[in-house]
Structure formats: structure tokens, C-alpha cells
Amino acid sequence: MTIHDVHFMGRSTFYRLSLSEMFVPYGDPRNPIYRKGAFDLGNVGAGVTANNLALGCDCLGVIKYLGGWCVSNDGSAVEKPNAMCIHEVDQGIQWKHTNHRTKNATVVRKRQLVIQQIITVANYEYIFAWIFDQSGEITFETRATGILSTQPVDKDVKVPWGTRVAEGVMAPYHQHLFNVRIDPAVGGSKNTLVYSDSVRMPWDDSLNPMGTGYVNRETVIHRESHMEDSVADGRVFKIVNRNMENPVSDAPRAAWFLALAPVRVRRAPHMGYQSIGGTGIKAWIDHPEAVVDEDIVIWHTFGFNHIPRVEDFPIMPAEIAQMHLKPYNFCNYNPTNDVPPSSQAFNCSVLYEDQRAIAAKTQANGTCYEKEVTMNGRT
């Protein structure tokens, strides 16, 4: 599932967004299990493992399905119907404000467009969703569910590298790592990556007498490199177009993302995606090229460390990890200012007491369809 040519408010933001690879290394050190580390996309593939999504189950609401074609083991073409679904969801409140003088409140709902795919790779299901917000935010969400990969153990045996989830069943510790390829086009193809840290101001009797001040310090990435996050500094990474200034903030227009794992940046490659070793991203940046005001590509790795629990067995509740891309000084105002306020006339929410009354009437009638029930002018 690859997203191309993303625009917002009439300007380009990203040329391409896609999940590049998934890696699931296991922490059981015993032979031969220490070799267990699945590259779920490179070794198996997302197309051949894509689910046929079912209406009313995998996607809810008004649904548009997209299908595709894959190559089977014998080289023939295999159709994959309903491999992706497009639908809208209500994700709560986008913004709200109550005028403390008049007590009048305005609420805008957070409507999102979701493009979703589900794959089954052996024991695990992965639910991938690109989520587009009316505020310009883009979220890539992964949900891991399915069945744990387990090992047999003797009764009452405990090991330091796994959890006993049932009698004679041990689930080893492991990780789910997702690598996303981000090919930006913020106002064009000439972009620059910077990271921003929140830094304490020095104590100063006149300017910072209580030591509460802090500033934002930006660092430009000049050459292809590998970068780590810094939670202590509140670090965020920004993709900026230094040739486009925001007239309000007098700063470069940017789209930014919050990185919670390693980031690599380089110029757009001119080679294939698969490798037999020695030609991956790490090798590409051994002789780093300049990446300021260039056609750059960013690989961002995120995920979660899975220490299994008894509640994960036999079927695991979905574990969620997300990556966020947000406009930063890209717009001249809140882009959701023109979203119509939420109203009861449109939402038609129902009080709990009303539902009880309907249930009582239905029970008295003996059937839901024997007699129509009218409420709030609706039948």
C-alpha cells in the first residue's frame, strides 16, 4: 500500500509514503531460535498476504474497496479483491472553545479519511492504515494482532527471555519494528531535514530570574546520516522548504514528524530495493552526500517491544503503534476553521433514557418490526 502525490490546501507535501520493511527479531537465545528474525515484507510480501476485507467486519460505514493483482509462486497473476478499503471515521473532538462570558461553546468533530490494509503473515495479523485529517495531519498506524509465536516448556518452568502464557506454553520476548519510507515534496522537491530541541535558558537575574525559560534550537542535517531521537530534549524532526516562507511566522514552511526511533536521511536512490548485503541504507551513507535543499528521502523506524502477557494468549488484542506527520508553519491559520460546528441536528445522538423507552416498547410489542417507533421526528 503506497501513497503518492499528497497535496494539502493546493500545495504539494509528499511525493511518496509507504511501509518499506518490517522486522520481528526474537529474544530467545537458544539454538536455533536465535536465528529467528522475520523480515515480513522482504521475505513474504504484503500483496500476497493481503486479506480479502469483508463489509461490516474489517471496515465500517460507507466503504470503497480497492483490489489488485499479485504474482503467485508459479509466476501467474492472482487477483486480490478487496485488498484495501477507504472509509471515514469520527475520531472525537478536533477543537472546542467555550466563551467564558457568554457560555456559548463551539465544537468541531475530527473526521478522518482512512485507507486500510490487513495482512496475515504466518501467526500474526497486521492492520495498516494511512489516516488523513482535515487539519493536514497524516498518521500511519499499525496494529499487531493474531496468535503469538510460542515454544513448548516443561510444566512450572520459567525462563528469563519469555512469558509462560499457558501450561507448557512459553511466548518469547520479541520486537515489532516498522520502517517507513518518507519521500517529501514540501512545496516542491528541494527539501531539508532539521531537528528541533527544547533547550533550557541560562539563569539570568533580569531575563530569566526564576529559571523557567526555554528556547527552541534547530539543527540542520547537512549530509546523509543516521539520527536518534532525544525524549529528554523533546526532539522533533522537520522537513522544511527553505525557499518558501510563511508570511505569518516569517519561518520556512514545513511538515514535521515526531520520531521515537532511528531516522536516516539521504538523497533519492537510483538503485533497487532488494539487496544481497552490503548495499543497504547503512552502506549508502558511508560516503555521505549533501542533503540540504535536495530531493531527499527519509527512512523512519518505529515500533514496540513486545513482552508477552497471559492476556495475549491465545489471540492477542491489537497492539497499536503510530507515526505522525503534521504541518508546521505550512498554513496561514488553523485549516479546520471552516469545518462546520458539530450539532445535534446532524449527529442525531440518542439519550440513554430514550433507548430504554424504545426497548420497553419493543418488548411490549414482541417484535422490533410489528410497530414503528417515532422519536425526534424520525421513524
Side-chain angles (χ1 to χ4, degrees):
M1 183 169 59
T2 304
I3 307 297
H4 282 282
D5 297 326
V6 181
H7 287 66
F8 184 64
M9 299 188 74
R11 293 191 297 270
S12 66
T13 55
F14 296 96
Y15 170 70
R16 168 178 167 153
L17 297 168
S18 62
L19 178 64
S20 176
E21 185 57 278
M22 297 164 48
F23 183 45
V24 187
Y26 281 78
D28 189 334
R30 298 172 299 170
N31 185 28
I33 306 172
Y34 63 78
R35 295 177 177 270
K36 187 174 182 179
F39 286 91
D40 286 336
L41 294 193
N43 290 346
V44 184
V48 296
T49 58
N51 290 189
N52 185 339
L53 305 179
L55 191 66
C57 300
D58 301 303
C59 309
L60 301 181
V62 179
I63 309 299
K64 170 64 178 178
Y65 287 110
L66 299 176
W69 294 83
C70 295
V71 178
S72 67
N73 292 333
D74 62 6
S76 61
V78 177
E79 186 177 7
K80 302 289 287 189
N82 296 2
M84 291 179 286
C85 66
I86 303 175
H87 60 113
E88 279 193 9
V89 297
D90 183 303
Q91 196 60 27
I93 293 176
Q94 179 76 264
W95 61 262
K96 176 179 179 176
H97 180 65
T98 301
N99 188 312
H100 70 278
R101 297 180 179 87
T102 65
K103 308 304 180 184
N104 292 331
T106 302
V107 183
V108 167
R109 303 296 298 179
K110 190 180 183 75
R111 298 292 298 178
Q112 295 178 327
L113 180 71
V114 180
I115 305 175
Q116 180 176 288
Q117 179 186 28
I118 303 176
I119 67 173
T120 300
V121 185
N123 55 299
Y124 263 111
E125 265 77 21
Y126 293 99
I127 304 166
F128 301 128
W130 286 99
I131 304 170
F132 297 86
D133 192 300
Q134 290 172 299
S135 67
E137 179 178 346
I138 302 173
T139 300
F140 180 63
E141 179 183 275
T142 67
R143 297 185 180 220
T145 181
I147 301 176
L148 294 171
S149 178
T150 59
Q151 302 291 334
V153 293
D154 292 335
K155 184 179 180 180
D156 299 328
V157 168
K158 293 183 179 180
V159 296
W161 51 78
T163 303
R164 192 174 68 224
V165 294
E167 184 175 339
V169 181
M170 184 272 293
Y173 303 155
H174 57 283
Q175 295 175 307
H176 298 262
L177 302 176
F178 307 95
N179 182 264
V180 177
R181 173 185 168 131
I182 302 169
D183 193 339
V186 179
S189 61
K190 302 299 183 182
N191 293 160
T192 301
L193 183 69
V194 303
Y195 64 83
S196 172
D197 294 337
S198 294
V199 181
R200 291 182 298 174
M201 293 175 59
W203 288 77
D204 184 275
D205 290 339
S206 59
L207 183 60
N208 189 27
M210 303 303 294
T212 57
Y214 69 94
V215 297
N216 186 49
R217 182 177 63 195
E218 292 191 347
T219 302
V220 177
I221 307 302
H222 291 278
R223 293 192 170 273
E224 298 171 337
S225 59
H226 166 272
M227 287 144 285
E228 295 283 353
D229 183 37
S230 176
V231 176
D233 294 323
R235 179 169 296 174
V236 296
F237 291 84
K238 298 178 185 177
I239 306 164
V240 303
N241 188 325
R242 304 199 306 172
N243 298 315
M244 295 177 60
E245 284 195 351
N246 186 295
V248 179
S249 64
D250 196 27
R253 296 189 186 271
W256 65 274
F257 66 100
L258 175 62
L260 297 177
V263 176
R264 296 181 188 270
V265 59
R266 75 176 308 271
R267 296 178 65 175
H270 300 286
M271 57 190 74
Y273 298 113
Q274 297 186 4
S275 168
I276 60 174
T279 59
I281 298 176
K282 185 178 184 300
W284 294 349
I285 62 176
D286 283 345
H287 304 284
E289 299 181 26
V291 289
V292 175
D293 298 333
E294 294 285 355
D295 184 8
I296 62 175
V297 177
I298 301 161
W299 279 266
H300 172 46
T301 301
F302 71 102
F304 54 90
N305 186 43
H306 191 182
I307 306 298
R309 53 197 178 122
V310 175
E311 291 83 357
D312 289 335
F313 188 81
I315 302 295
M316 171 184 160
E319 190 75 23
I320 301 174
Q322 294 181 331
M323 178 202 74
H324 297 277
L325 297 157
K326 299 182 180 182
Y328 187 92
N329 293 336
F330 187 82
C331 309
N332 297 342
Y333 48 83
N334 180 352
T336 63
N337 280 350
D338 60 352
V339 176
S342 180
S343 67
Q344 170 61 6
F346 178 82
N347 294 323
C348 299
S349 296
V350 179
L351 288 174
Y352 175 69
E353 290 79 8
D354 291 341
Q355 290 183 328
R356 291 177 58 186
I358 293 173
K361 291 180 180 179
T362 302
Q363 187 175 15
N365 294 333
T367 174
C368 295
Y369 305 102
E370 183 175 322
K371 186 177 181 180
E372 291 184 335
V373 178
T374 301
M375 182 180 62
N376 294 337
R378 294 189 172 211
T379 300

